[in-house]
Amino acid sequence: MSFEPPLVRTAVQVNGFERKLEADARLTLLDALRDVIGLTGTKKGCDQGACGACTVLLEGRRVLSCLTLAAQCDGRQVTTIEALAGDDLHPLQAAFIRRDAFQCGFCTSGQIMSAVALLDEGRAGSDDEIREFMSGNLCRCGAYPNIVAAIRDVAGGRNHDA
Amino acid sequence: MTPEPRVIGLGLDRVDGPAKVTGAATYTMDVAVAGLLHAALVRSTFAIGTITSIETAQAAAAPGVVAVFTHHNAPRMKKPSWNLITPPPPVPLQDASVHHYGQYIAMVVAETPQQATAAAALIRVEHKAATASLSLDAPALKARSNPYFLDAKRGDVESALAAADITVDATFSTKANAHNPLGLFSTVAYWEGGRLVVHDSTQNPYLIRDSLAKVFSVSKDKVQVLVPYVGGAFGAGLRLWQHVILTAMAARAVGRPVKTVLTRPQMFTGIGHRPATIQRMRIGALRDGTITAIDHEATSTAAKVANVLYPVTLSTPATYRCDNVRGRDRQVRLDIPSPAHMRGPGEAEGNFALETALDEVAYAIGMDPIDLRMRNYAKVHPQTGLAWSSKALDECYRQGAERFGWADRTPRPRSMRDGHWLVGYGMAGVTYGHFQAKCHASLTVRDDGTVLVRSGATDIGQGTYTVITQVAADGLGLDPANVRFELGDTDLPRAPQAGGSGLATALSNAVRDATVNAIAALLSLASADHASPLHGCSARDVVVAGGRIHRKDDASRSETYGAILTRNGRSELTVQGSSAPSRAETGVLLGSLAVSRMGRAGRRLVEATHAIAPAGAFAAHFVEVRVDPLLGRLRVKRMVSAVDAGQVLNEKLARSQIVGGIVGGIGQALFEEITTDEGSGRVSNATLADYLVPVNADVPDIDVVFVGEPDSDNAVGVKGIGEIGLVGVAAAIGNAVHHATGKRLRSLPFTITELMD
Ligand code: FES
Ligand code: FES
């Protein structure tokens, strides 16, 4: 049956700015970012929680924004790829370029956001650890060895016993 | 004046890197235009039959819905023009018949994607299904012989097999694979007074433009296709798919822009797949390792409603120096969505059979697999007898083996261990044919010393933005920072598809030509000018470096491009450049056919032309695997690939491209298989959770080395390397598994049950 979904009022802190949404309850955080707020850096590769392209930080932790409803984020902090660079690129962004850690670039926003969290989680201690804990982010172009190298570069800079 | 180091080949960072790491790169699904509507597609849930009723009233009345299209009300459209390599599937929503599972049978257009999706679920369909033929082993299927007219033969295979010391006769099978680029294929279309603008995930914008012009009966210059970034494609973007037609149709009908983003499950039925094959390979050899006969027969699948040019045995006759060879393709037409070319189409499957069977020969006669390949090395193109334009496959074997440590391998299966893991070393060679198509580019030199290069090509991740910037900078003696390359727009000069490993050759040579033309045009201004230090110079008398044209006889006398333009009262100067396949390319194809049909007389005919045989790329892959014989676990431990890529345009990006191909090959070997339900043809694993692709933890360190010289068939010396990374990986892994376990795996993907003791 056809039904009119309820509109939900949400105020999400996106990259430090409050965004007020009055939206369809079915709206995912991913679609809210992309279609409503206009931040298209976060990508949709499956909409089913299986690829990692939509990874963003929610309260500093990595989440799949396609599996997160916008309405769940009321009053919470969301960080997307657009907020990572200041005047200079974030060290991970620079390392991804230097190590050529992407080809088509479609998985890249998700890879980098995931890597930001990975470093905070302290799970970039070895190549094997990086491989394991970055395995939720698919790269169909097959840039994996370069992704590992880029993360290793940044982790190594932070933590010398890495 | 000391010559500057060449910009070509340097491992510069991607010029599109900053846009991609900051999320600023605009892929088709990111395009937003005012008044945009969103589409959702409804697919058939059966393979073949007729829709008897389709009820749309509820959907049409749902919130936000602007239009619902079915075969009852969709505008009638013309067929797109046929083309040999990628013939288009039928125009959708034109009648009640259904030809495969997942065919689009309705489209809902609404104000938001959520509304469109919700309304699409309200459409009720009744149908009458017929019995479908869905797989290669369906009973009573008739295979068509020589479907592409590319079958080749030389010598007498049967007699040679009968006279051989040893023969290998084996059957191989490969499964349907899905391209699954990470970017969901998307289309945004709008009409601006009779003119159609389409943003699309395509590898071939000009094909889309020309085809849509035909479908909607408008002239080609009334259609513009835009594609600055593509989220991967791997061959899926080489055709005009139905969702593209539907999006443009809907936009015209409702008079507003429409966006369609395929869902992941739709990506399994709507944009092609690598077809399944069954192959029989017979090889005859003498005890000394001379291969005396190769007979390769392959059957692959195609859709009943759309053909596909998919020769699987094409490379086999060009690979080894054997006197008696036959390559025969057969095709079975099924009630399935159309297959399409996927990275290394035909080659990836055919090479698996050939290079695995060769390993079997090596074991049968007790010879090292590399020695066997060198023993039968094809110094000339073996089908025509013509000299290669370049070939360093021997170097690939040599350097690859050395870096890998092949000499440490003890040949006997199960002879190498690491704890409870069985260790296996395997290798495979690759001969990848050359492909090139016509290409055009324009080049504008501005008085501020910057250069703008433009061509309607696409960069699907292979690095075209970057390498073409380098080619132009190299040709004009400029810092690449002063060159900008624009692509992905059919209002720019015509370029061919990013496909067939052919774009780098075509486009780099077109741009090289444009740089030569630019220097000539600038020089003709300067030469006639008494005030110029280059007065009286012709192209022979000058060199370019540091953004200036210098006299060869006195390098201190030079002038910048900007100064030449300014003194002649011009702010900029634009020239064109183009490239086309050499005559050798057609010569080899015709020559191969002549030899196949006319034997020795054909060979004499070919030799009389003194043509060369464009070589394409060569590679050797080396793999170490670990197999846990109790659990059937298989890990790829490390890989070394040596590639003859001719003139590498950018070392760093070329390496990435090879690595990416290898990762695709690991997927083909270990994971990838589209599974379908019997009867309905439903794809039962149409998500990225169920259809497995390699993840980070599946991929080891991969060492890539480039060998060889610039190719002599084109001015820049390029060979295409988009596909050669993938081809050969499956055979190399399978051969390593045999070495580790003694088990010969002839069916892709390899499964745990085959590996358990
Ligand atoms: S889009 Fe969210 S995991 Fe794929
Ligand atoms: S760069 Fe294309 S999917 Fe990762």
Side-chain angles (χ1 to χ4, degrees), chain B residues 243-311:
Chain B
H243 68 273
V244 182
I245 297 177
L246 287 174
T247 310
M249 173 204 83
R252 187 186 228 182
V254 303
R256 283 174 63 180
V258 174
K259 179 193 275 191
T260 304
V261 179
L262 295 189
T263 64
R264 184 53 63 180
Q266 288 167 352
M267 296 281 282
F268 284 77
T269 53
I271 58 164
H273 62 270
R274 187 193 290 286
T277 75
I278 292 179
Q279 305 174 53
R280 183 175 179 203
M281 182 68 75
R282 291 190 297 162
I283 298 186
L286 303 179
R287 284 259 159 249
D288 68 357
T290 307
I291 296 173
T292 52
I294 302 176
D295 186 25
H296 187 183
E297 189 187 84
T299 306
S300 60
T301 61
K304 279 190 187 150
V305 282
N307 208 339
V308 60
L309 180 73
Y310 209 90

Side-chain angles (χ1 to χ4, degrees), chain A residues 43 45 98 100 104 140 144, chain B residues 14 27 30 264 652 656 694:
Chain A
K43 299 300 184 218
R98 194 172 59 245
D100 204 34
C104 80
R140 188 58 162 157
Y144 297 127
Chain B
R14 271 172 213 267
Y27 299 82
D30 304 331
R264 184 53 63 180
K652 185 189 312 203
S656 294

Side-chain angles (χ1 to χ4, degrees), chain B residues 164-167 285-290 361 363-367 372 375:
Chain B
D165 290 340
I166 68 108
T167 55
L286 303 179
R287 284 259 159 249
D288 68 357
T290 307
V361 172
Y363 272 94
I365 59 178
M367 194 174 205
L372 176 68
R375 169 101 208 165

Side-chain angles (χ1 to χ4, degrees), chain A residues 1-5 24 26-28 31 34-35 40-48 50-51 53 81-82 85 89 93 96-100 102-109 111-112 127 130-132 134-135 137-148 152, chain B residues 13-14 17-18 20-23 25 27 29-30 38 58 61-63 113-115 118 122 178-184 230-232 234 259 264-265 342-343 460-461 652-653 656-657 659-661 663 672 686-689 691 693-697 699-702:
Chain A
M1 283 316 296
S2 163
F3 82 112
E4 195 92 38
D24 194 320
R26 298 169 297 198
L27 187 71
T28 61
D31 288 342
R34 292 178 49 81
D35 297 341
T40 55
T42 306
K43 299 300 184 218
K44 182 188 286 186
C46 69
D47 217 16
Q48 297 174 314
C51 76
I81 188 75
E82 284 91 348
L89 292 177
Q93 290 173 314
F96 265 61
I97 294 178
R98 194 172 59 245
R99 290 294 194 158
D100 204 34
F102 52 88
Q103 292 176 38
C104 80
F106 197 84
C107 71
T108 310
S109 304
Q111 302 279 0
I112 292 176
D127 283 6
I130 296 171
R131 286 197 177 99
E132 194 60 36
M134 285 300 290
S135 279
N137 289 83
L138 301 181
C139 176
R140 188 58 162 157
C141 296
Y144 297 127
N146 294 353
I147 292 170
V148 173
R152 181 205 300 137
Chain B
D13 292 342
R14 271 172 213 267
K20 286 177 174 174
V21 300
T22 55
Y27 299 82
M29 69 159 62
D30 304 331
H38 300 267
Q58 271 192 33
Q114 291 77 21
Q115 290 169 332
L122 300 173
H179 301 74
N180 268 325
L182 205 62
L184 296 170
V230 182
F234 315 111
K259 179 193 275 191
R264 184 53 63 180
M342 179 170 160
R343 212 167 191 177
I460 58 173
K652 185 189 312 203
L653 272 57
S656 294
Q657 213 180 0
V659 168
V663 173
E672 299 190 35
T687 73
L688 286 175
Y691 179 97
V693 301
V695 303
N696 205 322
V699 177
D701 281 333
I702 298 169

